Amino acid sequence: MGKKFIESILGKRIEEVSRRAKILVFQFDDGTAIVGHLKMTGKFLFVPKNYVRQKHDRILFVFSGGAEHLVWSDIRTFGYLKCVSVEGLDEALCKYGPEPLETSVELLADRLCTPSSRTIKAALLNQECIAGVGNIYADEACHRAGIRPTRRLSSLTAKNRTEVIKEVKKILQKSIDLNGTTSNDYVDTNGTQGGFSVLLKVYGRANLPCLKCKTPIKKIVLVGRGTHYCPTCQR
DNA sequence: ATATGCACCTGTGTGC
DNA sequence: TGCACACAGGTGCATA
């Protein structure tokens, strides 16, 4: 990490840790804050004080009086942390759409109600439309709602929109309850793997039989992302 | 307005 | 066993 970043946070007290969309926020007592994104392989891990530095570690947070250190590591180095002012914090967070778990089905479904020709999957992945939904959960929500990820927003019925939003909410809540989805190397701050993986119906199941109807799950590329769906259950 | 391709990186799995 | 290649949870930008 840069010397500038270290200097900007050294000695400050973290008052609150929160999240908006996929952005983590560490709020300091002077109004400044660290904002960060883990991207795909980033993680925070509490480690003992005798912890030995690992290859992909990018910063080790040492707290005065703390029993443990906090390490930020990131294999692919796509993630970032930066220290921002009060205004910088607003600016970093203002572009995101509503939080799916803090917003009504009606309001969220309305955001999909547009004559737009873009696909439902593109809309779900667009953080300005709805915050926080990633590739796995977009595929899973479409499957459970019986909607093909390739469907255009303009072709969706009000019922389709409501269904997919309801599924987004259910899936995200369930995944949070189960500590997320570990597909490769995701772990939480205690090193625990996510338990949602076993509930995946389509993601990572290309060519395997649909759990509902046995049709082989199809995998295509959509919005530049691996996209999984059942050609029978999803229309 | 939207889609596509690529870029940022490293690691892993697969096929030859 | 080694090598080449495709692909991976995300996003931003340049181009079509």
Side-chain angles (χ1 to χ4, degrees):
Chain A
M1 283 302 291
K3 195 174 155 196
K4 223 177 125 191
F5 175 78
I6 307 283
E7 281 170 1
S8 64
I9 66 167
L10 206 59
K12 289 187 182 179
R13 172 185 292 271
I14 297 171
E15 293 261 285
E16 195 183 325
V17 180
S18 57
R19 173 199 62 77
R20 171 76 176 103
K22 295 177 186 173
I23 306 295
L24 295 172
V25 179
F26 299 78
Q27 187 86 48
F28 292 117
D29 52 7
D30 66 348
T32 64
I34 294 173
V35 296
H37 197 308
L38 296 176
K39 297 292 178 84
M40 270 114 69
T41 54
K43 60 189 116 184
F44 281 100
L45 207 56
F46 284 113
V47 294
K49 286 183 167 175
N50 62 0
Y51 173 78
V52 177
R53 193 201 163 112
Q54 302 294 299
K55 189 175 177 187
H56 301 294
D57 292 353
R58 297 188 62 189
I59 193 165
L60 184 73
F61 294 87
V62 175
F63 303 103
S64 62
E68 292 178 306
H69 298 327
L70 181 68
V71 67
W72 171 48
S73 73
D74 186 2
I75 295 171
R76 288 170 77 178
T77 68
F78 286 173
Y80 63 84
L81 296 184
K82 56 184 177 183
C83 189
V84 296
S85 62
V86 178
E87 306 83 58
L89 179 60
D90 286 342
E91 198 188 315
L93 302 181
C94 68
K95 61 180 170 180
Y96 294 102
E99 287 292 324
L101 296 181
E102 294 163 21
T103 310
S104 70
V105 171
E106 294 70 31
L107 200 150
L108 293 168
D110 271 357
R111 297 184 68 80
L112 303 177
C113 184
T114 131
S116 167
S117 65
R118 75 178 156 156
T119 61
I120 177 65
K121 170 128 181 185
L124 291 176
L125 289 181
N126 183 339
Q127 303 298 301
E128 295 175 28
C129 180
I130 296 169
V133 180
N135 198 36
I136 295 176
Y137 301 122
D139 281 6
E140 292 296 310
C142 286
H143 177 71
R144 285 159 216 232
I147 297 165
R148 283 202 194 185
T150 51
R151 283 276 295 279
R152 312 269 158 190
L153 289 186
S154 56
S155 81
L156 296 181
T157 63
K159 190 168 168 8
N160 289 155
R161 293 190 288 267
T162 304
E163 282 300 305
V164 76
I165 290 298
K166 279 185 178 170
E167 294 302 335
V168 164
K169 280 172 160 275
K170 284 200 316 209
I171 285 166
L172 291 180
Q173 186 58 60
K174 185 73 178 166
S175 187
I176 289 168
D177 293 344
L178 293 175
N179 218 16
T181 303
T182 296
S183 81
N184 193 0
D185 55 3
Y186 169 78
V187 291
D188 71 8
T189 49
N190 297 308
T192 312
Q193 298 207 341
F196 194 80
S197 315
V198 297
L199 296 185
L200 297 176
K201 310 275 194 223
V202 286
Y203 185 84
R205 303 197 64 253
N207 302 320
L208 294 173
C210 173
L211 297 169
K212 235 189 270 179
C213 76
K214 309 272 190 281
T215 306
I217 298 300
K218 206 161 178 189
K219 183 177 178 191
I220 60 170
V221 174
L222 189 60
V223 207
R225 318 297 307 278
T227 299
H228 315 69
Y229 68 92
C230 171
T232 302
C233 296
Q234 295 172 254
R235 296 289 173 178

